[in-house]
Amino acid sequence: MKARRTTSGLPRAGGEAAPGRRNPLGATTGRRSRVRDWPAANARSRVAAKERAEADALQQGVRYRRLFVTLVSATVALAAVVVLLGTVGLFKETRSRPLTPEEQNRYKQEEIARRWQAWPATGVFPEEVKYLGLERAQQYAKRVGIAPETRCRSAVDPSVASILDDHGCLTMLRATYVDQTSTFVMTVGVAVLKDEESRVTATEQLSQDDRVGVLPVAFPGTVTERFGPDQRQRTGWVGAGPYIVFSTAGYADGRTRAAVPPEEILHSELWPAAKSVGNQIAYFLADPPKVPPCTQGNVC
């Protein structure tokens, strides 16, 4: 029997198509015919999307690289400017130039203030010190000995010690001399204050009493061994830089102040000699040093 045809003219499901007949959809009818997939269009889309993504990533990488190169270049340029400015500033700071008046004054003050430490003891207290004797004859006082460095209050009378302590006295240096005839004994004491301003303030408060000041230093076995506080005939002081240079004098034979008439003290050669020795040592300590004209010596 012939297969029955549907009213639509299409073969029934599961039925065989007539030989030579074509499916209205364009495919040959039969049991194995099916609708085909269309992967070609999807593949092209995926390839195009991948290429666009790669292109976008490449462009982003290029932008990042440009930004990185810009930042590195800016950092290098800034570092170069900083180095250049630092080099110029260092050159200006270290090159030799003339000292200003303020710098010259500070140089002098610092040089004078460190002499008591920088110089040896024999530099502070020379072996011989010139002084003027009778009829202004030049004579020399000879150093007998140098006492150990000591605290200021231990080397002066109590009334003087309180003033030195109040103004920051650092230490006391002392040495004893005799005149050219070994008749007079003189002790010179150098009180070291922290600066010249402190020294000026301290000296304004010191008494003019010539009975108090530095305590004598005697050296056993020498002509000075009988020189003690009671043998002081007169005392005095002079300011020089940050130093107060004290002087005191007496007779080598041990005479006390009470045993000598006041008029003899006033007209004796003893005190002028002692004062001259003290002033000479003060002059050595505070003598203004030669200041170099430039920050690096004599060449600006």
Side-chain angles (χ1 to χ4, degrees), residues 224-253:
T224 68
E225 63 182 353
R226 301 178 65 183
F227 186 40
D230 292 337
Q231 282 70 40
R232 292 180 296 177
Q233 301 296 320
R234 193 171 179 181
T235 64
W237 54 264
V238 62
Y243 310 108
I244 303 176
V245 181
F246 292 91
S247 302
T248 188
Y251 293 99
D253 60 11

Side-chain angles (χ1 to χ4, degrees), residues 44 52-53 74 100 125 187 207 216 223 259 262 265 290-291 293:
R44 285 195 297 271
R52 286 194 300 270
T100 64
F125 300 113
T187 291
S207 170
V223 296
I265 297 175
K290 184 177 180 181
V291 181

Side-chain angles (χ1 to χ4, degrees), residues 14 20 34 47-49 55 58 66 131 166 187-188 190 192 202 216 220 233 281 288:
R34 59 187 179 83
V47 170
L58 180 61
R66 288 176 179 173
Y131 71 94
D166 290 344
T187 291
V188 178
V190 178
V192 182
Q233 301 296 320
I281 291 175

Side-chain angles (χ1 to χ4, degrees), residues 10-35:
L10 297 176
R12 292 181 179 179
E16 294 183 1
R21 299 290 299 273
R22 298 185 65 83
N23 190 299
L25 298 178
T28 305
T29 61
R31 291 181 181 275
R32 296 182 178 182
S33 66
R34 59 187 179 83
V35 178

Side-chain angles (χ1 to χ4, degrees), residues 141-282:
K142 185 177 180 180
R143 188 190 68 226
V144 177
I146 299 175
E149 181 181 339
T150 187
R151 296 184 304 167
C152 298
R153 67 167 32 256
S154 301
V156 295
D157 292 292
S159 60
V160 178
S162 61
I163 296 174
L164 296 183
D165 284 348
D166 290 344
H167 293 86
C169 186
L170 303 177
T171 191
M172 177 71 78
L173 314 175
R174 290 181 296 172
T176 298
Y177 289 81
V178 293
D179 73 319
Q180 191 162 304
T181 65
S182 295
T183 302
F184 309 136
V185 183
M186 300 160 279
T187 291
V188 178
V190 178
V192 182
L193 278 78
K194 57 185 179 180
D195 52 43
E196 185 171 358
E197 183 179 354
S198 298
R199 189 271 300 169
V200 171
T201 306
T203 54
E204 289 175 350
Q205 298 180 18
L206 285 177
S207 170
Q208 297 298 321
D209 187 352
D210 65 2
R211 294 171 298 178
V212 296
V214 66
L215 298 178
V217 179
F219 292 89
T222 70
V223 296
T224 68
E225 63 182 353
R226 301 178 65 183
F227 186 40
D230 292 337
Q231 282 70 40
R232 292 180 296 177
Q233 301 296 320
R234 193 171 179 181
T235 64
W237 54 264
V238 62
Y243 310 108
I244 303 176
V245 181
F246 292 91
S247 302
T248 188
Y251 293 99
D253 60 11
R255 280 179 283 178
T256 65
R257 178 181 174 116
V260 179
E263 60 271 14
E264 183 177 335
I265 297 175
L266 292 175
H267 296 89
S268 170
E269 185 183 5
L270 181 148
W271 181 240
K275 185 177 181 181
S276 178
V277 171
N279 288 346
Q280 284 290 314
I281 291 175

Side-chain angles (χ1 to χ4, degrees), residues 19-184:
R21 299 290 299 273
R22 298 185 65 83
N23 190 299
L25 298 178
T28 305
T29 61
R31 291 181 181 275
R32 296 182 178 182
S33 66
R34 59 187 179 83
V35 178
R36 294 179 60 188
D37 294 330
W38 302 93
N42 293 335
R44 285 195 297 271
S45 298
R46 285 196 296 270
V47 170
K50 182 178 180 181
E51 290 177 350
R52 286 194 300 270
E54 290 177 350
D56 292 342
L58 180 61
Q59 289 297 325
Q60 187 175 18
V62 170
R63 287 194 297 270
Y64 286 161
R65 183 177 181 277
R66 288 176 179 173
L67 179 61
F68 176 76
V69 171
T70 301
L71 290 176
V72 170
S73 300
T75 302
V76 172
L78 180 61
V81 171
V82 171
V83 171
L84 179 61
L85 293 176
T87 302
V88 172
L90 180 63
F91 175 75
K92 289 182 177 180
E93 183 66 24
T94 58
R95 69 178 180 178
S96 185
R97 58 173 177 78
L99 289 174
T100 64
E102 181 180 355
E103 289 173 331
Q104 293 178 5
N105 186 55
R106 184 167 65 248
Y107 178 93
K108 293 178 183 178
Q109 291 181 348
E110 292 175 353
E111 171 64 23
I112 293 172
R114 61 172 168 257
R115 283 178 176 172
W116 73 275
Q117 288 180 308
W119 288 2
T122 54
V124 177
F125 300 113
E127 183 177 357
E128 291 186 338
V129 180
K130 292 188 296 184
Y131 71 94
L132 295 178
L134 292 176
E135 298 181 355
R136 302 188 61 82
Q138 182 173 291
Q139 299 189 32
Y140 293 87
K142 185 177 180 180
R143 188 190 68 226
V144 177
I146 299 175
E149 181 181 339
T150 187
R151 296 184 304 167
C152 298
R153 67 167 32 256
S154 301
V156 295
D157 292 292
S159 60
V160 178
S162 61
I163 296 174
L164 296 183
D165 284 348
D166 290 344
H167 293 86
C169 186
L170 303 177
T171 191
M172 177 71 78
L173 314 175
R174 290 181 296 172
T176 298
Y177 289 81
V178 293
D179 73 319
Q180 191 162 304
T181 65
S182 295
T183 302
F184 309 136

